[in-house]
Amino acid sequence: MGRLIISGGRPLEGEIKIQGAKNAVLPILAAAILTDEKCVINNCPALRDVDKTILILRDLGCEAIKNGSVITVDGSGIRDCRICENLMCEMRSSIIFLGAILTRCRRANVSMPGGCPIGLRPIDLHLKALRKLGVEITEEHGYINCRADRLRGADIHLDFPSVGATENIMLSAVCADGETVISNAAREPEIVDLAVFLRSMGARITGAGSSVIRITGVKKLHGAQHTVMPDRIVAATYLAAGAVTGGDITLIGADKTHMDAMLDVLSEMGAQFEFGENTIRIKPLEEIKSVHILRTMPYPGFPTDIQSPFMTVAALARGTSIFVENIFENRFRHVDELVRMGADIRVSGRCAVIRGVDRLYGAHVRARELRGGAALVLAGLAAHGETIVENTEYIDRGYECIEKYLSECGADIHKEA
Ligand code: UD1
């Protein structure tokens, strides 16, 4: 397990080029197996989860070649319809392969995500939707076996606008017989990016980005090229790094239109921005203000993924902020570590009350998941003294070379294996 060593207290200054979005590239790589022609995906971030996805593709019999940020997938040799338990457990989001494998092979076999040690993350909405599309599902020895000699379009209402379930339905419906209508669909920009790629492969999809997505099945999809959208969560994390250090950071290649909820909260905290074409500059901030109440919500609401990095900003604000986590019940795991660094945070159920303090202090802390790990890095950048963040593997799942980008902006940060 790697560790990051940070000597805090330096205002960051400089430019950061924003990587391609992790949550967009994973379903897009899954979509690439829907055709037996070659697909070329540009702007893929250098992340562990992307490497794992390449392993899944190869395991299925596809050729997947990574050359810098370009991944070429040739699905013509697909021969397996099973994702092994190890890969499934290491990367829960591999469940989005289910729909793609079914479309391609009419069978799919994946291990139950519930069998993994990282807690329950249900897939009931995915399975209910697949059944509506005509998939027979049985569960056996910890595996989910899916079979659909024919996929049929259907009207599917999601009880909750799940991102993964919406993607799985799209991947299962693109070549189904007839029309599929997803209502209460997730509206995240990553859904739109997937739809853009699928359309460039010949799929007929309208409404992505709204609550109703219509898909008319086509017989066959063809190869295509795509450039992955910028990562809005990574972009907001670096803006937060600017805010907590009183720094002056310009993001290059960020898409402001995906970031309204996050920019609104930072503005409420006193941040001022300058927007250019694909650039966002956060100006030096002298004092951080508290946020009255921040609630995580499905898009276009405030994203759960940036809740923990923004908690570090709130920890240094003047006044008290309240954060309510509505999406995942277990997303306050960074709080104990922030408290060890001097933050004043109380958690009760899904609510956290954050009383801003003047200063955080360096400490030896442990990342327990991806975004909570990023929150600790931000705290380390702002803190007095040295911070060691253990378990950087979690952070590497979502942030490409975080220590490199931050040190290029003047942070005193390095990684030890
Ligand atoms: C995706 C993102 C993740 C982000 C999340 C919410 C990827 C790879 N991951 O995860 O970073 O935090 O969206 O924006 O894109 N749920 C059910 N049953 C289901 C599916 C989901 O109850 O079948 C619940 C979940 O427990 C959770 C909520 O719905 O409470 C949201 O989950 P979902 O939108 O599906 O998140 P993911 O697609 O897993």
Side-chain angles (χ1 to χ4, degrees):
M1 284 278 182
R3 44 162 59 176
L4 286 167
I5 323 276
I6 307 164
S7 198
R10 296 184 175 204
L12 303 186
E13 202 184 313
E15 294 181 345
I16 298 178
K17 182 172 178 321
I18 299 306
Q19 67 189 57
K22 169 178 89 76
N23 289 352
V25 74
L26 302 181
I28 286 170
L29 288 173
I33 72 167
L34 294 175
T35 172
D36 52 14
E37 296 177 19
K38 233 177 222 168
C39 290
V40 180
I41 316 299
N42 304 307
N43 200 31
C44 299
L47 299 174
R48 276 182 59 210
D49 277 13
V50 173
D51 294 337
K52 293 270 150 63
T53 307
I54 291 176
L55 290 183
I56 293 177
L57 288 166
R58 290 183 184 152
D59 228 37
L60 294 170
C62 304
E63 194 180 279
I65 299 168
K66 187 172 153 199
N67 188 358
S69 64
V70 181
I71 298 177
T72 308
V73 181
D74 179 345
S76 58
I78 192 164
R79 57 181 140 67
D80 206 350
C81 62
R82 181 185 174 102
I83 301 181
C84 74
E85 195 173 342
N86 287 351
L87 286 170
M88 201 56 210
C89 282
E90 278 187 51
M91 202 181 61
R92 199 67 72 89
S93 45
S94 46
I95 193 72
I96 41 157
F97 269 91
L98 194 55
I101 299 175
L102 263 170
T103 292
R104 194 65 204 285
C105 307
R106 305 286 144 174
R107 307 263 184 286
N109 208 264
V110 299
S111 79
M112 284 286 275
C116 309
I118 49 175
L120 191 70
R121 200 155 167 181
I123 56 161
D124 54 314
L125 299 173
H126 301 238
L127 299 184
K128 193 171 153 196
L130 290 177
R131 285 195 172 101
K132 280 207 116 178
L133 291 166
V135 181
E136 274 174 46
I137 302 173
T138 51
E139 291 167 25
E140 210 177 26
H141 310 302
Y143 271 81
I144 306 168
N145 302 317
C146 298
R147 181 194 172 110
D149 294 327
R150 210 181 123 222
L151 286 159
R152 293 185 307 268
D155 286 349
I156 299 170
H157 176 81
L158 288 175
D159 294 333
F160 183 89
S162 154
V163 175
T166 303
E167 290 165 347
N168 244 332
I169 300 168
M170 291 163 75
L171 295 169
S172 319
V174 276
C175 294
D177 294 341
E179 191 183 54
T180 298
V181 180
I182 315 171
S183 55
N184 200 27
R187 291 185 277 167
E188 269 70 0
E190 291 76 12
I191 301 278
V192 178
D193 212 31
L194 174 62
V196 169
F197 177 53
L198 288 169
R199 276 202 298 265
S200 67
M201 297 173 80
R204 291 177 59 197
I205 303 176
T206 58
S210 79
S211 296
V212 181
I213 301 178
R214 288 173 196 279
I215 304 162
T216 306
V218 296
K219 286 246 154 5
K220 207 170 164 11
L221 296 177
H222 52 75
Q225 280 231 24
H226 184 76
T227 299
V228 175
M229 62 174 271
D231 197 309
R232 60 199 169 99
I233 305 299
V234 169
T237 304
Y238 288 127
L239 290 179
V244 292
T245 62
D248 189 338
I249 290 188
T250 300
L251 309 180
I252 311 286
D255 190 335
K256 166 185 179 300
T257 62
H258 299 155
M259 297 177 63
D260 286 344
M262 300 181 276
L263 293 173
D264 278 358
V265 169
L266 286 173
S267 299
E268 194 184 332
M269 290 173 138
Q272 290 187 330
F273 303 103
E274 225 173 63
F275 300 107
E277 201 183 324
N278 292 325
T279 64
I280 304 176
R281 173 183 168 216
I282 181 166
K283 297 187 192 170
L285 184 61
E286 271 173 23
E287 185 184 81
I288 301 171
K289 296 183 200 141
S290 56
V291 260
H292 179 52
I293 184 156
L294 180 155
R295 295 184 178 85
T296 64
M297 300 289 258
Y299 190 86
F302 186 87
T304 174
D305 285 350
I306 201 72
Q307 174 261 110
S308 39
F310 275 31
M311 194 178 284
T312 302
V313 188
L316 287 160
R318 178 173 286 267
T320 300
S321 308
I322 297 176
F323 282 24
V324 184
E325 174 54 63
N326 289 312
I327 309 295
F328 290 109
E329 66 286 353
N330 201 8
R331 274 229 163 143
F332 285 142
R333 299 177 72 196
H334 52 286
V335 168
D336 288 350
E337 304 297 273
L338 286 178
V339 168
R340 297 185 57 221
M341 296 179 74
D344 180 350
I345 306 173
R346 304 273 161 87
V347 171
S348 171
R350 287 177 177 265
C351 283
V353 178
I354 305 122
R355 285 206 185 88
V357 294
D358 288 339
R359 207 175 258 303
L360 293 173
Y361 295 92
H364 196 152
V365 291
R366 197 169 288 277
R368 296 188 180 153
E369 40 88 25
L370 160 59
R371 307 298 171 184
L376 299 178
V377 172
L378 299 188
L381 293 172
H384 217 61
E386 187 180 83
T387 296
I388 300 174
V389 182
E390 298 279 0
N391 296 355
T392 50
E393 281 76 358
Y394 287 119
I395 301 168
D396 296 342
R397 294 186 76 146
Y399 295 87
E400 191 180 88
C401 311
I402 193 167
E403 68 284 3
K404 173 173 166 277
Y405 291 130
L406 290 172
S407 57
E408 280 170 5
C409 289
D412 185 342
I413 179 170
H414 67 275
K415 196 176 198 170
E416 279 178 4

